[in-house]
């Protein structure tokens, strides 16, 4: 450890960080790891290779990735609209974006299920026009995940767009780029790292989401059962070790995916000459 | 200055009265499952009054409700319940095994397997019974949608599943046929909610499904609260005997010095007052002679098969049917 630092207050700051991280993150997570160690390797493997567990991992990760992708695209459009265009009621609209953060997820789930179910206001319409049922199908899971993931994307892209220097766009235009070229070659590369952060946050939130998804999923084994539900199922059987085993793997998979996204982000930044 | 002195005095008085309250009143925590909420609200008032008359002591009773499994887990994780009033004995067995806070033979301590009241599983159908459902065999017919929660996450759902199985095993005489029947039944289930209240919402509020498998008392409550013009209750010929047991959590009661109170609280459930109230809230009383005959008349006659009789007890039923890789998992396994 260096004797002195350019920035003052290094020691108290790092001590605080370590204590905080230990109490809130590391100790609970190690407790989880310890619980899993109660299982033998064979038992652990048997739990994870169970067909139903694998199916639920597939449902969760596929839904979370698609939801994060959709939230990424629509979140970008919303952030763009909010930053670039003045319109009446903009403040109100802006505040509405954060509502999914504040709403208890169970309430969100019940409301979404009520609206998107086959007899619901929107569900009935979609079923009649497109012949697609949303609630109680895997699609319902994606809808709930988009709902809770959207604010993450909007709120990460917004500040970057706000700080974005319009002079760059003007320069592109004066150098003869058309609007599409300006967007793809100038705006998009600058926004992409922030969009990826939003995507990663939305994805991480969606993978762990229980409250809102459970009401709209239908929870059919092999089809619309999410990993958190299987964890609850194990707990209901008093199988604490089995539940933590699934939780642990979920954590590792999410961590790997988030790490990959972070690496991609760093690579994009470097390619664009930012730091 | 005067204002501050006044504020101090007020704080002192409030603090004193609060601490007196704590010293004066003993408190009992009753950890129960979801559908007993209304019943215990009224029962607690009756008990507090009775206890005051008998001993002159003021007591308080706190209630905690939730899914039966979740409640049992909370107790295992340290929730200090003096009294447990849960949906099935398996959950209390698990508390005994995992915490040692009560004796394994707890179920022998009170009459009727420690169940002062029992219940059963019935069908709730839409008004006029458009699908013509009269018994279990109608539930496996094509085009009938049945709503029941996931037995792996809901105690009530386990009773639903076992009731269907018990019916089929009695009717067809062997386990293979029973499994086949239950499998067909769950083919007709479009949504597996995680708890009984969730299923009721799906059926009642969302209008999904033709038949809801429900606790008898929940079915009555749904009909009463939402209007008898919307739903009918259909009682099958055979169903399950749902023993909903009560017990004292010994270690906790001894630690907080509430054993006498906790025992009196549970014994009072067997008294004429408790039995009458149970019947009022649609639980079938252990001693029907104490109940209001008008309340009793609401319970149709049916054969109720016990879990012990068909499945050899909850421990076995749990291991065979609901554990991972059990029969319930098998009927959902992809072919």
């Amino acid at each position: 450890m260096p004797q002195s630092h350019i920035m003052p207050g290094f020691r108290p700051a790092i001590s605080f960080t370590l204590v905080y991280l230990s109490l809130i993150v590391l100790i609970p997570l190690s407790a989880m790891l310890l619980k899993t160690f109660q299982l033998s390797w064979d038992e652990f493997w048997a739990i994870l290779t169970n067909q139903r567990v694998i199916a639920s991992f597939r449902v969760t990760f596929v839904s979370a990735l698609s939801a994060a992708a959709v939230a990424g695209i629509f979140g970008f459009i919303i952030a763009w609209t909010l930053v670039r265009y003045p319109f009446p009621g903009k403040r109100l609209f802006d505040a509405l974006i954060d509502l999914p953060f504040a709403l208890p997820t169970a309430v969100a789930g019940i409301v979404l299920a009520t609206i998107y179910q086959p007899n619901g206001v929107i569900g009935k319409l979609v079923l009649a026009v497109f012949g697609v049922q949303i609630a109680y199908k895997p699609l319902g899971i994606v809808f709930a995940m988009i709902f809770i993931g959207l604010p993450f994307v909007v709120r990460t892209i917004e500040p970057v767009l706000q700080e974005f220097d319009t002079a760059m766009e003007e320069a592109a235009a004066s150098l003869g780029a058309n609007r599409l070229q300006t967007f793809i070659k100038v705006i998009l590369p600058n926004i992409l790292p922030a969009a990826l952060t939003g995507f990663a946050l939305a994805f991480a939130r969606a993978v762990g989401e229980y409250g809102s998804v459970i009401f709209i999923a239908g929870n059919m084994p092999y089809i619309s059962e999410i990993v958190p539900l299987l964890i609850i199922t194990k707990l209901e059987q008093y199988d604490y070790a089995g539940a933590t085993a699934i939780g642990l793997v979920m954590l590792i998979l999410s961590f790997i995916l988030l790490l990959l996204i972070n690496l991609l982000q760093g690579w994009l930044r470097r390619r664009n000459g930012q730091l | 200055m005067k204002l501050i002195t006044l504020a101090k005095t007020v704080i002192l008085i409030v603090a004193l009265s609060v601490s007196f309250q704590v010293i004066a009143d003993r408190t009992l925590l009753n950890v129960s499952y979801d559908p007993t909420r209304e019943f215990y609200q009224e029962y607690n008032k009756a008990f507090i009054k009775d206890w005051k008359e008998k001993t002159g002591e003021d007591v308080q009773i706190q209630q905690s409700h939730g899914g039966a499994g979740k409640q049992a887990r909370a107790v295992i994780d340290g929730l200090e319940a003096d009294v447990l009033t849960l949906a099935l004995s398996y959950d209390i067995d698990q508390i005994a095994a995992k915490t040692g806070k009560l004796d394994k033979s707890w179920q022998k301590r009170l009459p009727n397997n420690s169940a002062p009241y029992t219940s059963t599983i019935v069908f709730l159908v839409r008004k006029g019974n458009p699908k013509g459902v009269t018994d279990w065999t109608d539930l496996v017919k094509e085009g009938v949608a049945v709503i029941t929660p996931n037995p792996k996450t809901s105690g009530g759902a386990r009773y639903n599943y076992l009731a269907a199985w018990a019916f089929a095993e009695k009717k067809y005489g062997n386990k293979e046929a029973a499994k086949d029947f239950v499998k067909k039944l769950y083919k007709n289930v479009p949504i597996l909610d995680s708890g009984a209240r969730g299923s009721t919402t799906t059926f009642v509020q969302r209008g999904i499904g033709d038949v809801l498998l429900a606790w008898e008392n929940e079915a009555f409550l749904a009909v009463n609260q939402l209007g008898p013009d919307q739903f009918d209750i259909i009682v099958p010929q055979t169903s399950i005997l749902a023993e909903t047991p009560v017990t004292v959590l010994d270690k906790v009661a001894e630690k907080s010095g509430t054993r006498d109170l906790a025992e009196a609280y549970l014994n009072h459930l067997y008294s004429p007052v408790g039995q009458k109230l149970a019947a009022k809230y649609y639980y079938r009383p252990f001693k029907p002679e104490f109940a209001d005959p008008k309340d009793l008349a609401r319970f149709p006659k049916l054969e109720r098969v016990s879990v012990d009789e068909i499945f050899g007890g909850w421990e076995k039923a749990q291991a065979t049917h609901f554990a991972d890789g059990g029969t319930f998992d098998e009927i959902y396994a992809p072919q």
Side-chain angles (χ1 to χ4, degrees), chain A residues 38-53:
Chain A
Q38 290 179 352
L39 295 168
S40 73
W41 176 250
D42 287 341
E43 285 169 327
F44 184 70
W45 191 244
I47 290 170
L48 296 180
T49 48
N50 178 290
Q51 287 298 313
R52 197 160 155 199
V53 175

Side-chain angles (χ1 to χ4, degrees), chain B residues 37-69:
Chain B
R37 195 171 274 116
E38 293 80 6
F39 164 62
Y40 276 109
Q41 263 169 18
E42 191 166 347
Y43 174 76
N44 289 346
K45 274 185 212 141
F47 174 75
I48 290 169
K49 195 166 145 255
D50 185 76
W51 185 257
K52 172 92 177 160
E53 275 165 18
K54 274 189 193 140
T55 67
E57 185 192 1
D58 282 311
V59 291
Q60 289 183 15
I61 295 167
Q62 290 177 346
Q63 281 295 134
S64 164
H65 296 275

Side-chain angles (χ1 to χ4, degrees), chain B residues 293-315:
Chain B
K294 259 190 274 169
D295 289 341
L296 283 184
R298 302 181 299 196
F299 298 124
K301 289 228 169 353
L302 80 163
E303 184 196 7
R304 292 194 293 164
V305 191
S306 79
V307 176
D308 289 346
E309 186 184 325
I310 294 265
F311 304 95
W314 268 107
E315 191 84 49

Side-chain angles (χ1 to χ4, degrees), chain A residues 19-83:
Chain A
V19 169
Y20 173 82
L21 270 181
S22 309
L23 286 179
I24 307 285
V25 183
L26 291 176
I27 295 177
L29 286 186
S30 344
M32 188 167 139
L33 202 65
L34 276 179
K35 199 88 188 171
T36 316
F37 284 154
Q38 290 179 352
L39 295 168
S40 73
W41 176 250
D42 287 341
E43 285 169 327
F44 184 70
W45 191 244
I47 290 170
L48 296 180
T49 48
N50 178 290
Q51 287 298 313
R52 197 160 155 199
V53 175
I54 292 175
S56 76
F57 269 104
R58 197 179 52 231
V59 169
T60 303
F61 280 90
V62 169
S63 312
L65 282 173
S66 1
V70 175
I73 293 165
F74 286 97
F76 173 73
I77 297 174
I78 292 171
W80 179 265
T81 314
L82 284 177
V83 172

Side-chain angles (χ1 to χ4, degrees), chain A residues 52 110 113-114 117-119 136 210 214-215 218-222 225 229 232-240, chain B residues 69-70 72-73 76-77 90-91 94 98 152-153 189-193 206-208 322-324 329 332-334:
Chain A
R52 197 160 155 199
I110 291 169
T114 309
Q117 58 127 332
N119 303 323
Y136 311 127
Y210 178 74
I214 221 65
F215 290 98
N219 306 326
M220 302 305 284
Y222 300 98
E225 230 177 17
L229 176 65
I232 298 281
T233 306
K234 295 260 180 218
L235 286 179
E236 291 286 340
Q237 295 168 55
Y238 305 102
D239 180 4
Y240 290 75
Chain B
K70 205 179 289 162
R73 264 203 326 281
I76 289 173
D77 292 340
Y90 179 71
D91 287 324
Q94 289 296 313
K98 306 235 170 206
K152 300 194 87 161
T153 51
V189 177
I191 299 155
L192 286 171
D193 283 293
R206 310 251 148 84
I208 292 174
F322 308 121
D324 283 343
D329 280 355
Y332 269 102

